Amino acid sequence: MSDILLRVVVGGLTVSAFALFGDLLRPKSFAGLLSAAPSVAIATLILSLMKEGSQYARIEARSMILGAVAFICYGTVVSQFLIRRKYAVIPVTSVAMVVWLAGAFGLWFAMVRIAG
Amino acid sequence: MKAHIDTSELGQSRWYEHLVRFAFGGTVTALAGVIAKRYGPEVGGLFLAFPAIFPAAATLIAKHEEKKEGRENTRAVRATVAAGLDAIGAAFGAVGLVIFAIVVWQGLPSYSMGTVLPSAMLAWAVTSVLCWQLWEMLRARARDKRSHDSKSKQVAPVHIDQPTNRRMR
């Protein structure tokens, strides 16, 4: 329980700090870089390094590559639907999570298959 | 447009908006840890790049744009486009995330956390900003080309010798 609480506090503070800095940046497209800042990753990796060791964190980072590729697809799809089609923000950003899930797990399954 | 810092809208966010970001960030970090513990670091690691915070961030951006002056439908369109531009930035940031993850993966365990994480952060920042700069450059070129094309179409060639009046023909 204390581990989860620590993750909540550290993760929350890291994300808030990056988000606050993002509020100051212009134009909006540049501020968007902070929306994909490695805030959650930094918090999680620090905790993993301290508790589980560097090999554990290394494996997490390797999988993170696949998640990040899926994030690129997610951001591209969301921007197209918002800018070109002018759909509402909440439905588009929520439904597009399917793109991330399909991309991340699809790449992960492919990697597992290739690795044998 | 050049990237810059604008502090004029710093007070625009309400306290509960900061709380929402804190809650989202904390929840995703805790979730990544729980998933890694249950299914292993290979699956847990995927969620280090989960865009959980993005819907909340994009919604807040759209909300702030809607509060600005203008007609209702114009404000709504502007809000959606602002969130869309944020998403483009997020896609470039995600390219940086790939590089961040590669630096951490290759850096550990040969180098210490104190060396690897700041190096990875720097790699993320440089990659993301370069991607954004390249996109801005291509956009500016496309805009200049469109402007040049529309100007050349406006200036119609005038032939003085040809009669314009039918009676004169």
Side-chain angles (χ1 to χ4, degrees):
Chain A
M1 188 63 190
S2 62
D3 181 48
I4 290 174
L5 209 60
L6 182 66
R7 284 179 182 274
V8 168
V9 170
V10 172
L13 286 173
T14 326
V15 166
S16 296
F18 275 101
L20 199 62
F21 185 51
D23 283 349
L24 300 176
L25 298 177
R26 293 290 177 275
K28 291 275 182 294
S29 56
F30 189 71
L33 299 181
L34 276 294
S35 293
S39 36
V40 170
I42 285 172
T44 308
L45 286 168
I46 288 173
L47 292 167
S48 296
L49 278 162
M50 281 163 52
K51 290 204 95 178
E52 311 287 346
S54 56
Q55 200 52 36
Y56 190 96
R58 197 167 173 257
I59 295 169
E60 283 187 320
R62 190 182 63 187
S63 290
M64 186 187 164
I65 296 168
L66 307 179
V69 171
F71 198 152
I72 296 169
C73 301
Y74 171 85
T76 308
V77 165
V78 167
S79 66
Q80 293 306 299
F81 275 97
L82 290 180
I83 293 174
R84 289 186 194 273
R85 306 280 177 146
K86 312 273 191 295
Y87 289 158
V89 175
I90 295 176
V92 169
T93 53
S94 309
V95 171
M97 289 289 185
V98 172
V99 172
W100 184 87
L101 287 165
F105 282 97
L107 287 169
W108 181 74
F109 278 119
M111 190 187 79
V112 164
R113 272 253 166 124
I114 291 167
Chain B
M1 193 178 183
K2 278 192 178 172
H4 61 278
I5 292 176
D6 180 8
T7 55
S8 62
E9 293 181 18
L10 194 56
Q12 221 185 30
S13 297
R14 307 264 185 225
W15 65 268
Y16 55 83
E17 290 170 353
H18 294 295
L19 193 66
V20 163
R21 287 167 177 171
F22 180 90
F24 265 96
T27 307
V28 173
T29 308
L31 202 67
V34 166
I35 291 172
K37 216 168 191 174
R38 176 77 177 81
Y39 299 103
E42 280 204 14
V43 177
L46 293 173
F47 288 86
L48 265 52
F50 184 52
I53 303 137
F54 185 78
T59 308
L60 289 173
I61 286 166
K63 215 178 100 183
H64 292 166
E65 283 297 314
E66 275 180 4
K67 283 181 189 169
K68 290 180 182 173
E69 283 182 28
R71 284 189 295 183
E72 197 185 318
N73 52 351
T74 315
R75 286 202 316 262
V77 167
R78 199 170 58 203
T80 309
V81 170
L85 289 171
D86 195 64
I88 290 175
F92 296 139
V95 175
L97 275 184
V98 172
I99 304 300
F100 174 96
I102 291 172
V103 169
V104 174
W105 173 44
Q106 294 296 303
L108 294 173
S110 312
Y111 301 97
S112 69
M113 176 174 80
T115 306
V116 170
L117 287 182
S119 307
M121 264 304 299
L122 185 64
W124 168 80
V126 168
T127 308
S128 308
V129 171
L130 280 176
C131 286
W132 180 82
Q133 290 272 41
L134 183 66
W135 176 72
E136 275 288 310
M137 207 172 71
L138 292 170
R139 259 183 88 201
R141 273 196 193 169
R143 232 186 343 245
D144 288 344
K145 189 175 182 297
R146 269 199 310 271
S147 162
H148 181 262
D149 287 349
S150 65
K151 274 181 188 166
S152 61
K153 275 178 191 167
Q154 277 169 14
V155 179
V158 177
H159 297 286
I160 300 165
D161 296 330
Q162 276 185 6
T164 52
N165 193 331
R166 276 188 186 175
R167 284 188 190 172
M168 288 171 74
R169 287 185 196 159

Coordinates of all heavy atoms in Angstrom, one line a residue, chain B residues 7 9 14 19 29 31 41 44 46 58 66 69 80 85 91-92 100 106 108 112 125 130 139 153 158-159:
Chain B
T7 N 4.0 34.0 -19.9 CA 3.5 33.8 -18.5 C 2.1 34.5 -18.3 O 1.6 34.5 -17.2 CB 4.5 34.5 -17.5 OG1 4.7 35.8 -17.9 CG2 5.8 33.7 -17.5
E9 N -0.8 33.7 -19.3 CA -2.0 32.8 -19.0 C -1.7 31.9 -17.8 O -2.4 30.9 -17.7 CB -2.3 32.1 -20.2 CG -2.9 33.0 -21.3 CD -3.2 32.2 -22.6 OE1 -3.4 31.0 -22.5 OE2 -3.3 32.9 -23.6
R14 N -7.3 26.7 -13.0 CA -7.9 26.7 -11.6 C -7.2 25.6 -10.8 O -6.6 24.7 -11.3 CB -9.4 26.3 -11.7 CG -10.2 27.2 -12.6 CD -10.8 28.3 -11.9 NE -11.7 29.1 -12.8 CZ -11.7 30.4 -12.8 NH1 -10.9 31.1 -12.0 NH2 -12.5 31.0 -13.7
L19 N -5.2 19.7 -9.7 CA -5.5 18.5 -8.9 C -5.8 17.3 -9.9 O -5.4 16.2 -9.6 CB -6.7 18.8 -8.0 CG -7.0 17.7 -6.9 CD1 -5.8 17.7 -5.9 CD2 -8.3 18.0 -6.2
T29 N 1.0 6.3 -12.9 CA 2.3 5.8 -12.3 C 2.0 4.6 -11.4 O 2.7 3.6 -11.5 CB 3.0 6.9 -11.5 OG1 3.1 8.1 -12.3 CG2 4.4 6.5 -11.1
L31 N -0.6 2.6 -11.6 CA -1.1 1.6 -12.4 C 0.1 0.9 -13.1 O 0.1 -0.4 -13.2 CB -2.0 2.2 -13.4 CG -3.1 1.2 -14.1 CD1 -4.1 0.8 -13.0 CD2 -3.8 1.9 -15.2
P41 N 7.8 -6.8 -16.0 CA 8.2 -5.5 -16.5 C 8.0 -5.3 -18.0 O 7.9 -4.2 -18.5 CB 9.7 -5.4 -16.1 CG 10.1 -6.8 -15.9 CD 8.9 -7.6 -15.5
G44 N 4.4 -4.1 -18.1 CA 4.4 -2.9 -17.4 C 5.1 -1.7 -18.1 O 4.6 -0.6 -18.0
L46 N 5.2 -1.0 -21.2 CA 4.4 -0.4 -22.2 C 3.7 0.8 -21.7 O 3.6 1.8 -22.4 CB 3.4 -1.4 -22.8 CG 3.8 -2.7 -23.5 CD1 2.7 -3.6 -23.8 CD2 4.5 -2.3 -24.8
A58 N -5.8 17.9 -23.1 CA -6.4 18.5 -24.3 C -7.8 19.1 -23.9 O -8.1 20.2 -24.5 CB -6.6 17.4 -25.3
E66 N -12.2 28.1 -25.3 CA -13.6 28.5 -25.4 C -13.9 29.7 -24.6 O -14.9 30.4 -24.9 CB -14.4 27.3 -24.9 CG -14.7 26.3 -26.0 CD -15.5 25.1 -25.6 OE1 -16.0 25.1 -24.4 OE2 -15.7 24.2 -26.4
E69 N -12.6 35.5 -26.2 CA -13.6 36.2 -26.9 C -13.9 35.7 -28.3 O -13.0 35.1 -28.9 CB -13.2 37.7 -27.0 CG -13.4 38.4 -25.7 CD -13.0 39.9 -25.8 OE1 -13.1 40.4 -26.9 OE2 -12.6 40.4 -24.8
T80 N -11.2 23.2 -30.6 CA -10.9 21.9 -31.1 C -9.5 21.9 -31.9 O -8.7 21.0 -31.7 CB -12.0 21.4 -32.1 OG1 -13.3 21.6 -31.5 CG2 -11.8 20.0 -32.5
L85 N -3.7 20.8 -32.3 CA -2.3 21.2 -32.4 C -1.5 20.6 -31.2 O -0.3 20.3 -31.4 CB -2.2 22.7 -32.4 CG -2.7 23.4 -33.6 CD1 -2.7 24.9 -33.5 CD2 -1.8 23.1 -34.8
A91 N 2.6 14.0 -30.6 CA 3.2 13.0 -31.5 C 4.7 13.2 -31.6 O 5.5 12.3 -31.6 CB 2.5 13.1 -32.8
F92 N 5.1 14.5 -31.7 CA 6.6 14.8 -31.8 C 7.3 14.5 -30.5 O 8.4 13.9 -30.5 CB 6.8 16.2 -32.2 CG 6.3 16.6 -33.5 CD1 5.7 17.8 -33.7 CD2 6.5 15.8 -34.6 CE1 5.2 18.2 -35.0 CE2 6.0 16.1 -35.9 CZ 5.4 17.3 -36.0
F100 N 14.3 8.5 -25.7 CA 14.5 8.4 -24.3 C 14.6 7.0 -23.8 O 15.5 6.6 -23.1 CB 13.3 9.1 -23.6 CG 13.2 9.0 -22.1 CD1 13.7 10.0 -21.3 CD2 12.7 7.9 -21.5 CE1 13.7 9.9 -19.9 CE2 12.6 7.7 -20.1 CZ 13.1 8.7 -19.3
Q106 N 19.8 1.1 -23.3 CA 21.2 0.9 -23.6 C 22.1 1.4 -22.5 O 23.2 0.8 -22.4 CB 21.5 1.6 -25.0 CG 20.8 1.0 -26.2 CD 21.2 -0.5 -26.4 OE1 22.4 -0.8 -26.6 NE2 20.2 -1.4 -26.4
L108 N 21.5 1.5 -19.1 CA 21.5 0.6 -17.9 C 22.0 -0.8 -18.3 O 21.7 -1.2 -19.5 CB 20.1 0.6 -17.3 CG 19.5 1.9 -16.7 CD1 18.1 1.7 -16.4 CD2 20.3 2.3 -15.5
S112 N 25.2 4.7 -14.2 CA 24.4 4.9 -13.1 C 23.1 5.6 -13.5 O 23.0 6.3 -14.5 CB 25.1 5.7 -12.0 OG 25.3 7.0 -12.4
A125 N 14.3 15.9 -25.1 CA 14.1 17.3 -25.4 C 14.7 17.7 -26.8 O 14.0 18.3 -27.6 CB 14.8 18.2 -24.3
L130 N 13.6 19.2 -32.3 CA 14.1 19.1 -33.7 C 12.9 18.7 -34.6 O 12.7 19.2 -35.7 CB 15.2 18.1 -33.8 CG 16.6 18.7 -33.4 CD1 17.6 17.6 -33.5 CD2 17.0 19.8 -34.3
R139 N 5.8 23.5 -42.8 CA 4.6 24.3 -42.8 C 4.8 25.6 -43.4 O 4.0 26.1 -44.2 CB 4.1 24.4 -41.4 CG 3.0 23.4 -41.0 CD 2.5 23.7 -39.6 NE 1.4 24.7 -39.6 CZ 1.1 25.4 -38.5 NH1 1.7 25.2 -37.4 NH2 0.1 26.2 -38.5
K153 N -2.0 33.9 -59.5 CA -3.2 33.6 -60.1 C -4.0 34.9 -60.2 O -4.8 35.1 -61.2 CB -4.1 32.6 -59.4 CG -3.7 31.2 -59.7 CD -4.5 30.2 -58.9 CE -4.0 28.8 -59.1 NZ -4.5 27.8 -58.2
V158 N -2.8 40.9 -69.4 CA -3.6 41.8 -70.2 C -3.1 41.9 -71.6 O -1.9 42.2 -71.8 CB -3.7 43.2 -69.5 CG1 -4.5 44.1 -70.4 CG2 -4.3 43.1 -68.2
H159 N -3.9 41.5 -72.6 CA -3.4 41.6 -74.0 C -4.0 42.9 -74.6 O -5.2 42.9 -74.9 CB -3.8 40.4 -74.8 CG -3.2 39.1 -74.2 ND1 -1.9 38.8 -74.4 CD2 -3.7 38.1 -73.4 CE1 -1.6 37.7 -73.8 NE2 -2.7 37.3 -73.2

